[in-house]
Amino acid sequence: MTVVGWLQIILILAAVVAFAIPLGAYMGRVFAGERTFLSPVLGPVERGFYKVSGIDPAREQGWLAYTLAMLAFNAAGFLLLYLLLRLQAFLPLNPQGFSGMSPHLAFNTAVSFVTNTNWQSYGGETTLSHLSQMAGLTVQNFLSAATGLALAVALVRAFARSGSGTVGNFFADMTRATLYVLLPLAIVTGLAQVAMGTPQTLNASATVQTLEGETQTLALGPVASQLAIKQLGTNGGGFYNANSAHPYENPSPLSNALTIWQMLVVSVALVFAFGHLIGDRRQSVAILCVMGLLLVSATAVCYWAESAGTPVLAAAGLDPSGGNMEGKEVRFGLAASAFFASVTTGLSDGAVNAMHGSFTPIGGMVPMVLIMLGEVLPGGVGSGLYGILVIAIISVFVAGLMVGRTPEYLGKKIEAKEMKMAVLAILILPTAILGFSAVSAVLPVALSGLGNAGPHGLSEIYYAYTSAAGNNGSAFGGLSANSPWWNTTLGLAMLLGRFAYIVPMMAIAGSLVGKTKLAPSAGTFPTHGPLFVGLLAGIILILGGLQFFPALALGPIAEQVQMLSGKTF
């Protein structure tokens, strides 16, 4: 580790916070239905959408109607995207003449982008037409991120309101999230990416002559427009198979810094918007302290592990002081690669600028663990905030047990119904990850897709289902997942990780919004101070440790022991 490396990380984090504070205040006004500086331009567009679609934004919904509207909208999006991917051979804007996807690959891809996972069992530049990239994947990048924002805001309203029966209007929230937040940011940062060298064209390719005098064909397309929203919306799916390691998606250290900033800024800003909407900005600071503490700690472990290198380098007579550069881009280096890996998995982004499967065992375990913790550091757009609020409910319940009081959070009593739904929600991730992994670890049809045996092969399985159920989308590169078994089961894990979590979370919102908001009393446990920060961080780590440590002990931890001892298990 170097001072320069840490300076890069600190500067990017400072830039994120500096922009997220005003952006959070702006988002708070947007979701409160207040006028903003963009209202004169976008207000008529917003009202036009409502008129065409027959939506009355003032007509609010209870939690069940809100949830059903969300499920119906996403089901329609899945069906349209599935058909587009299957029929792309017969549709326009297909200059390469690509055929349609197979049924299992189209299912996996459609589920992946609708759930904000963006797992890719294919190479984008060799599989998808420009129409599929733009009208299919890019559109869902906007809509899945907007869905997450809408759901988070609905839960926040449940805490902010007192004795109400409604949590908002799903279609109005999603429209405002797309129109006022995601689209303007995507336009500005997309243009910045073009200025840095990212292609944005409808041409299929360009033929160039290499330095050796050979001819090479370079795949082109509408890359920048998809790249901007894939990062801002914590989607992560790349136009190219190499994702953000590809020089067209991520040409330079400057574009890499912008990419990390894009990943973080909306999720961090939403935490500030949370404080604006509930009228207590101290709560935002407390949650951000937890997120920042754990994310920076994870980055430090990953950076240290990759900087330490491996015994294999020394055994080969090489200088190990340069660290483990296998699978990393020289133009980024160790610090930017480790930080990118931690951010993309502390979020639910999934973009990669280095191959996680080539990290050291401990370095590769860090991104896996960050997903297993629930991707709440700071988490995906919307999903990170509602995820950490569910854990906060569990935390205040634990605190209440310690002092013998009925727990409260943000003025709402946390009772049996909320706890049952919170526990149901947090059980989704380990059930999907460990259940599918256990079956895949013994079935020949699944094992045939592994690129490695032993602990690393087991880590490939864990990481795949962790990434799918966590709606992340990154992978250990050795797994060949484009087969009926992997595409189908990973698709099911994505659905569980997204929607099976959302339903109990929204049931919590429905229960809380009807409760009267209580004023703090002398016995109220404060949730804005260092004691709560420590408790919340501890609960996050304990939940992850209790659920997944035995599995990690058989995978990356066993691989680390094997690497250090030189013995094969």
Side-chain angles (χ1 to χ4, degrees), residues 456-533:
H456 194 80
L458 193 58
S459 294
E460 289 178 4
I461 296 175
Y462 287 150
Y463 199 106
Y465 287 114
T466 300
S467 179
N471 300 137
N472 183 269
S474 61
F476 269 22
L479 179 67
S480 298
N482 189 13
S483 66
W485 170 262
W486 286 105
N487 279 332
T488 302
T489 56
L490 288 170
L492 293 174
M494 295 176 211
L495 289 171
L496 287 172
R498 180 72 162 183
F499 300 113
Y501 189 100
I502 285 171
V503 173
M505 182 275 294
M506 287 300 294
I508 293 172
S511 177
L512 292 176
V513 76
K515 295 185 177 184
T516 302
K517 194 167 185 177
L518 304 173
S521 66
T524 300
F525 178 64
T527 56
H528 57 267
L531 184 60
F532 179 72
V533 169

Side-chain angles (χ1 to χ4, degrees), residues 140-391:
Q140 279 303 321
N141 283 346
F142 277 99
L143 298 181
S144 63
T147 296
L149 283 172
L151 291 164
V153 170
L155 180 58
V156 171
R157 289 194 187 107
F159 287 107
R161 295 178 176 181
S162 181
S164 176
T166 61
V167 295
N169 184 302
F170 169 73
F171 296 107
D173 288 339
M174 197 192 62
T175 300
R176 289 167 182 161
T178 304
L179 197 59
Y180 288 92
V181 179
L182 298 174
L183 189 59
L185 286 171
I187 292 172
V188 173
T189 57
L191 291 173
Q193 293 286 358
V194 171
M196 293 179 186
T198 301
Q200 180 65 23
T201 176
L202 292 180
N203 292 332
S205 61
T207 301
V208 299
Q209 191 174 44
T210 67
L211 294 176
E212 293 80 11
E214 301 294 331
T215 299
Q216 183 176 357
T217 300
L218 304 176
L220 300 174
V223 183
S225 56
Q226 182 171 327
L227 174 63
I229 188 57
K230 93 164 187 177
Q231 303 295 36
L232 289 166
T234 59
N235 296 279
F239 188 95
Y240 296 100
N241 188 41
N243 205 278
S244 291
H246 195 286
Y248 281 178
E249 284 202 30
N250 199 359
S252 67
L254 183 60
S255 70
N256 191 66
L258 174 61
T259 296
I260 297 173
W261 181 90
Q262 287 174 299
M263 284 194 279
L264 285 166
V265 69
V266 178
S267 290
V268 173
L270 185 59
V271 180
F272 286 112
F274 162 65
H276 178 90
L277 290 168
I278 64 172
D280 187 352
R281 290 175 173 81
R282 297 174 303 172
Q283 304 295 334
S284 296
V285 174
I287 288 178
L288 280 174
C289 285
V290 175
M291 293 175 170
L293 173 66
L294 295 181
L295 180 62
V296 172
S297 298
T299 300
V301 173
C302 187
Y303 188 12
W304 165 80
E306 297 310 299
S307 298
T310 66
V312 176
L313 294 175
L318 301 175
D319 182 6
S321 63
N324 176 37
M325 283 298 294
E326 181 187 351
K328 300 176 181 67
E329 296 296 311
V330 176
R331 67 184 185 275
F332 303 141
L334 290 173
S337 299
F339 187 40
F340 198 112
S342 299
V343 168
T344 196
T345 49
L347 293 154
S348 65
D349 190 272
V352 294
N353 73 348
M355 298 301 104
H356 294 178
S358 295
F359 281 26
T360 62
I362 296 300
M365 186 176 72
V366 168
M368 193 188 310
V369 168
L370 285 171
I371 307 174
M372 289 174 170
L373 293 179
E375 289 186 306
V376 292
L377 309 172
V381 168
S383 62
L385 180 59
Y386 66 65
I388 203 166
L389 289 178
V390 169
I391 300 176

Side-chain angles (χ1 to χ4, degrees), residues 382-435:
S383 62
L385 180 59
Y386 66 65
I388 203 166
L389 289 178
V390 169
I391 300 176
I393 288 172
I394 295 174
S395 299
V396 296
F397 179 78
V398 171
L401 291 178
M402 292 178 179
V403 298
R405 285 181 54 87
T406 301
E408 299 175 16
Y409 187 55
L410 304 180
K412 298 295 181 81
K413 285 192 176 295
I414 306 302
E415 297 174 304
K417 181 177 180 180
E418 291 81 30
M419 280 307 302
K420 289 176 182 177
M421 291 297 104
V423 170
L424 178 60
I426 65 169
L427 286 176
I428 298 300
L429 194 62
T431 299
I433 293 171
L434 299 177

Side-chain angles (χ1 to χ4, degrees), residues 524-546:
T524 300
F525 178 64
T527 56
H528 57 267
L531 184 60
F532 179 72
V533 169
L535 176 63
L536 181 55
I539 293 296
I540 292 171
L541 293 174
I542 290 170
L543 287 175
L546 290 177

